[in-house]
Amino acid sequence: MARHEDQPLTSSEEAPAAQAQTPLQRAVAALAKMKARVESLEKAANDPIAVVGVGCRFPAGGTSPAAYWDALERGVDGVKEIPAERWPRDAIPGSPQETRWAGLLDDVETFDPRFFGMAPREAESLDPQQRLLLEIAWEALEDAGIRPTTLEGSRTGVFVGASGLDYRERVIDQRAGAYDAYCATGNFLSTAAGRVSYVLGLQGPAMVIDTACSSSLVALHTAVASLRARDCDLAIAGGVNLLLSPTSTTLIAATQALSPDGRCRALDARANGFVRSEGCGLVVLKRLSDAERDGDRVIALVLGSAVNQDGRSTGLTAPNVLAQQALLRQAIQSARISPAELTYMEMHGTGTSLGDPIEYEALRAVVGEPRADGSTCVLGAVKTNVGHLESAAGIAGFIKVLQALGTAASRPTCISSASIRASRWRARPSSSPPRPPRGTRRPESHAAPASPRSASAGRTPT
């Protein structure tokens, strides 16, 4: 049978054609095929990740991303004296001044268990952190235009940064040995992410990551890697932290890291420690190609991220400036941009006399070189407004950056800096966030939340 000119070759016809090629031609064809494969793998490994939904609860009335930004815009101070409803002042021996302050949510007690198909009896023993994760995951998905009930059986991953177990201590004290199965499942960190997957029927990876203050950004980094590896097609990532027992505050106070007047003064000569805080933030992530295919609203793109550890430094809780520089360079390389393209950095910025100068020096070394256009990289630290959310600290900064990108404005920190402590800071390549005119924006700007770091913790600029 005669073959039409545009009819494809059959397998039996391909073989003689291939045999007719010279060894050089076959080698060139194999190299071209291999090159295409490598390019495909590189594209998948560096595929931008789209943020398509956000949900949060932060101090100062940050009950939604918009309310959070509004509080930052108005310079609201989310730190207050700890009320007796949380724990009485005499719950901490001696009631030192630095243990009297915290950034607190207005309501962590109310929860509708039946909405999530849960019996009230189970909810009684359920860590409020897990309750909050369920609520915020639902809100973040709705913000993404996704009906949560439609995700059952989907390859959706859940990546949660969490560290504290304050509620378990309360359950142990209040139950006095009269425990049931819910006391265990409701108070293991490992079930926090799994519960979201269970309630929504999600079948992607589910994990809780505890790297202390960097937990939520490491969770975000892991979610990005999982999407690029195609372990999941949708990801919910972020962190949670609630202050429900005086014991953890007592232990942290013993490290002398807390501020006596309850303020995080980032890059400030008056810096004297940090103040603890609580909250929850989650983002919904997709590969950009999938988001565009599905017609999703794209809030921002994650171009790259990196994670490392300080290694040996002057102490377990002390940062390492060289390790921080290496991490920043790795993240910038991962994003395939140049340091000069960075226009804003959300710092860890706890307001400690040890950590802030080291973080600043690392930033200056990597992004502080003079630029041909005279521009600078602006620095900010949301901890000055809401305190240190610990395992949820990174996502609080990340969501601040998302809101800033949406309005093309970075809001000033709550506490203005006094004279800089160390003389080596005088030639500063960066500045505190300005308050630009409404409606102005800088095109093609790149913003990056810098990493939280802590004792035995990974760090992740994203």
Side-chain angles (χ1 to χ4, degrees):
M1 180 182 294
R3 181 173 57 83
H4 194 274
E5 285 301 320
D6 60 358
Q7 183 177 342
L9 289 170
T10 64
S11 58
S12 59
E13 293 172 314
E14 287 175 349
Q19 292 175 359
Q21 291 181 333
T22 67
L24 179 59
Q25 289 173 325
R26 288 197 297 271
V28 170
L31 285 173
K33 186 176 181 180
M34 187 179 300
K35 180 181 178 182
R37 174 61 175 163
V38 169
E39 289 176 349
S40 175
L41 290 173
E42 286 183 347
K43 182 179 183 301
N46 295 282
D47 194 10
I49 301 301
V51 180
V52 297
V54 187
C56 67
R57 291 277 198 292
F58 295 130
T63 55
S64 69
Y68 177 46
W69 182 249
D70 179 66
L72 296 179
E73 186 175 29
R74 292 184 291 113
V76 176
D77 187 352
V79 176
K80 60 185 177 181
E81 192 165 2
I82 298 173
E85 290 77 24
R86 282 298 176 102
W87 59 73
R89 179 173 292 189
D90 60 5
I92 297 178
S95 186
Q97 187 175 355
E98 62 269 22
T99 64
R100 300 178 187 176
W101 307 94
L104 300 175
L105 301 182
D106 293 331
D107 183 13
V108 296
E109 297 179 357
T110 57
F111 179 67
D112 183 359
R114 297 194 186 281
F115 181 84
F116 295 101
M118 186 182 304
R121 180 187 172 192
E122 181 177 6
E124 288 179 6
S125 300
L126 183 63
D127 188 335
Q129 293 183 128
Q130 296 196 30
R131 305 175 197 169
L132 196 55
L133 283 169
L134 287 171
E135 293 174 346
I136 303 305
W138 191 280
E139 293 174 11
L141 289 168
E142 287 188 331
D143 185 63
I146 299 171
R147 185 178 299 174
T149 54
T150 65
L151 292 177
E152 184 170 354
S154 67
R155 297 175 68 249
T156 300
V158 182
F159 305 83
V160 174
S163 297
L165 288 169
D166 284 7
Y167 195 67
R168 182 164 69 179
E169 182 180 336
R170 285 196 172 198
V171 169
I172 291 172
D173 291 342
Q174 293 171 0
R175 293 298 185 98
Y179 308 128
D180 58 25
Y182 298 134
C183 295
T185 58
N187 291 278
F188 288 148
L189 279 182
S190 58
T191 59
R195 187 174 300 278
V196 176
S197 296
Y198 169 76
V199 169
L200 299 180
L202 312 179
Q203 295 184 354
M207 62 188 73
V208 172
I209 294 173
D210 179 6
T211 55
C213 306
S214 61
S215 298
S216 58
L217 282 187
V218 175
L220 179 62
H221 168 81
T222 306
V224 168
S226 183
L227 282 165
R228 285 175 169 167
R230 301 190 177 270
D231 293 330
C232 59
D233 298 320
L234 186 74
I236 303 168
V240 64
N241 187 54
L242 289 179
L243 311 180
L244 303 173
S245 167
T247 301
S248 56
T249 296
T250 304
L251 294 173
I252 293 175
T255 68
Q256 300 183 338
L258 296 181
S259 167
D261 53 4
R263 295 292 180 272
C264 293
R265 293 188 171 92
L267 297 180
D268 194 319
R270 300 168 296 167
N272 58 2
F274 69 87
V275 59
R276 302 190 72 202
S277 186
E278 65 184 11
C280 178
L282 295 171
V283 294
V284 181
L285 306 172
K286 263 185 174 181
R287 291 181 289 271
L288 176 60
S289 54
D290 292 347
E292 291 175 335
R293 177 200 64 199
D294 297 337
D296 294 320
R297 173 197 59 165
V298 175
I299 300 170
L301 297 179
V302 178
L303 300 181
S305 64
V307 60
N308 79 352
Q309 220 279 343
D310 279 313
R312 188 178 294 280
S313 61
T314 57
L316 180 63
T317 63
N320 182 328
V321 68
L322 295 180
Q324 290 196 20
Q325 290 176 18
L327 181 65
L328 289 165
R329 292 190 175 102
Q330 184 180 350
I332 291 169
Q333 182 179 10
S334 171
R336 297 189 170 190
I337 62 174
S338 70
E341 293 178 83
L342 284 171
T343 57
Y344 177 78
M345 290 291 295
E346 175 68 18
M347 298 179 63
H348 183 40
T350 55
T352 60
S353 58
L354 175 64
D356 284 6
I358 292 176
E359 183 180 10
Y360 185 92
E361 286 301 318
L363 287 167
R364 185 169 72 166
V366 177
V367 302
E369 291 295 322
R371 302 177 179 184
D373 61 358
S375 65
T376 60
C377 180
V378 175
L379 303 182
V382 78
K383 291 179 182 66
T384 62
N385 298 75
V386 298
H388 188 350
L389 279 82
E390 299 167 359
S391 54
I395 200 66
F398 185 79
I399 293 175
K400 171 191 168 182
V401 170
L402 295 181
Q403 297 301 109
L405 289 173
T407 60
S410 52
R411 289 306 173 209
T413 55
C414 184
I415 300 171
S416 60
S417 296
S419 59
I420 301 300
R421 181 188 303 273
S423 60
R424 65 179 180 277
W425 291 17
R426 288 174 184 162
R428 296 190 295 165
S430 311
S431 60
S432 295
R435 188 183 294 273
R438 291 185 181 276
T440 61
R441 65 172 57 243
R442 172 177 287 176
E444 300 299 327
S445 61
H446 294 88
S451 65
R453 48 170 172 66
S454 59
S456 195
R459 295 194 315 277
T460 311
T462 303

